[in-house]
Amino acid sequence: MVPGWFAGEGDDFRLLGTRCSACASVFFPREDAFCRNPGCPGGELAEVPLSRRGRIWSYTDSRYRPPSPYVSDPELEWQPYALIAVELESERIVVLGQAVPGVTVADLTVGMEVEVVPGVLNEDAETTWTTWHWRPTGAGA
């Protein structure tokens, strides 16, 4: 999907953010130009791997095909998916992403623990577009 937003495979898969050396604010999507914290005098931004786990802050389902630039084949039937906003364990920032295929809003609750895993956004004969998905860990609130 977007180069530099995640790295690794399997249990080593991580979202990548940046941390300001002056105020310790963490950003995702990453920020490479300046600290977005309005109270910060500015500092160096360093890439940091983000927590693999967090808790569901909110969720909803996507029952319609989004407009361009969303990539999907208009000839295929639209498959709804769950969108999850997750507060990351250590960073205390909220990151939005899709649930793993097969997980619906009926399977989710606010406060449920989830972990980030690699996923497929779209694929064709030549390319697979990788993204991240959230997968419930089985731990409750």
Side-chain angles (χ1 to χ4, degrees), residues 32-99:
D32 293 310
F34 60 90
C35 181
R36 293 189 292 234
N37 177 352
C40 179
E44 296 292 319
L45 296 165
E47 182 177 276
V48 292
L50 302 179
S51 299
R52 285 186 42 82
R53 292 183 178 215
R55 296 210 174 262
I56 295 177
W57 185 74
S58 185
Y59 59 91
T60 190
D61 58 355
S62 176
R63 298 218 162 259
Y64 64 92
R65 185 184 313 272
S68 289
Y70 188 87
V71 178
S72 69
D73 185 342
E75 301 298 319
L76 296 177
E77 180 182 350
W78 176 249
Q79 297 296 317
Y81 58 87
L83 281 172
I84 308 175
V86 175
E87 183 177 26
L88 296 181
E89 202 166 66
S90 297
E91 297 82 2
R92 304 289 309 246
I93 62 174
V94 176
V95 176
L96 186 66
Q98 291 183 18

Side-chain angles (χ1 to χ4, degrees), residues 80-134:
Y81 58 87
L83 281 172
I84 308 175
V86 175
E87 183 177 26
L88 296 181
E89 202 166 66
S90 297
E91 297 82 2
R92 304 289 309 246
I93 62 174
V94 176
V95 176
L96 186 66
Q98 291 183 18
V100 293
V103 170
T104 69
V105 294
D107 304 314
L108 305 174
T109 59
V110 170
M112 175 186 281
E113 186 178 66
V114 293
E115 63 186 344
V116 69
V117 295
V120 174
L121 179 63
N122 195 30
E123 58 188 330
D124 61 25
E126 299 168 3
T127 307
T128 298
W129 289 271
T130 303
T131 189
W132 66 93
H133 286 158
W134 295 110

